Amino acid sequence: REAPQGFEEQSPYVLALIKLDEGAMITAQITDLDMGELPSIGDRVEMVTRKLTTEGERGMIVYGYKFRKAVS
């Protein structure tokens, strides 16, 4: 529940081990969850691009990947 420095505005958030179809396993943030909802082992997920942080005086937005439960 305690985010690292620079990510406090995103707390609390859910991290998960994601096993890709290709076999690799990565750690990633799960997004787009309803309040109190948690993913279950075996849930299908899909990668989405989301804002990670804003840096510097000019407010440069840094984007990266997160995952959400797959939309059927």
Side-chain angles (χ1 to χ4, degrees), residues 17-20 23-27:
L17 291 172
I18 308 292
K19 185 172 184 182
L20 303 176
M25 191 171 292
I26 61 172
T27 302

Side-chain angles (χ1 to χ4, degrees), residues 41-61:
I41 294 173
D43 283 350
R44 296 287 298 171
V45 295
E46 58 188 5
M47 190 187 84
V48 292
T49 302
R50 293 287 188 267
K51 175 183 169 184
L52 298 180
T53 189
T54 304
E55 292 185 350
E57 294 177 12
R58 295 177 59 192
M60 183 175 87
I61 299 172

Side-chain angles (χ1 to χ4, degrees):
R1 292 189 171 256
E2 293 189 32
Q5 184 176 4
F7 295 89
E8 295 87 358
E9 73 278 355
Q10 296 181 28
S11 181
Y13 54 84
V14 176
L15 291 177
L17 291 172
I18 308 292
K19 185 172 184 182
L20 303 176
D21 290 339
E22 296 79 15
M25 191 171 292
I26 61 172
T27 302
Q29 186 176 349
I30 304 295
T31 190
D32 301 349
L33 294 172
D34 292 329
M35 187 62 137
E37 180 184 11
L38 292 174
S40 297
I41 294 173
D43 283 350
R44 296 287 298 171
V45 295
E46 58 188 5
M47 190 187 84
V48 292
T49 302
R50 293 287 188 267
K51 175 183 169 184
L52 298 180
T53 189
T54 304
E55 292 185 350
E57 294 177 12
R58 295 177 59 192
M60 183 175 87
I61 299 172
V62 178
Y63 291 93
Y65 65 86
K66 296 182 182 184
F67 287 80
R68 68 178 176 198
K69 289 176 88 172
V71 178
S72 302

